Amino acid sequence: MDQIRIIRTQTLNIMKEITEHPKPSYSLDGQSISWETYLKQLQSTIDWCDQRLEAEERVEIRTQAGT
C-alpha cells in the first residue's frame, strides 16, 4: 500500500505542475500526447490508486474472545 501511496503522490505532483504550466502537448516515451489526454491519463492513475487504497481500508477483521 505504501507503493500505491507514493505513486498517487507523485502523480498528483505531476498534475499540479502541468496545470500550473500547461503546454500544448507532451512527449512521453517518444510519443506525442496532447496535454488534455496526458491529464486524463494521470487522473486515471489517481483513480486507480484511490480504488486500491479504498479497497484496502474496507478490510474488516472480526475476533471473538472467550473466557
Side-chain angles (χ1 to χ4, degrees):
M1 288 293 106
D2 288 338
Q3 186 66 29
I4 293 175
R5 286 184 187 93
I6 291 169
I7 291 168
R8 187 179 188 283
T9 299
Q10 290 173 340
T11 304
L12 285 171
N13 289 338
I14 293 169
M15 288 177 73
K16 180 181 180 216
E17 183 172 329
I18 70 168
T19 54
E20 287 176 352
H21 309 287
K23 297 178 183 177
S25 64
Y26 284 84
S27 180
L28 188 65
D29 294 331
Q31 296 179 348
S32 181
I33 299 175
S34 73
W35 181 84
E36 184 177 314
T37 301
Y38 186 43
L39 192 58
K40 285 179 183 179
Q41 289 175 342
L42 293 172
Q43 184 60 54
S44 292
T45 301
I46 295 297
D47 294 343
W48 179 86
C49 290
D50 287 345
Q51 290 170 359
R52 296 298 182 266
L53 292 169
E54 184 179 313
E56 182 67 21
E57 290 173 358
R58 281 191 255 143
V59 172
E60 183 176 321
I61 299 173
R62 293 179 181 238
T63 60
Q64 184 175 359
T67 57

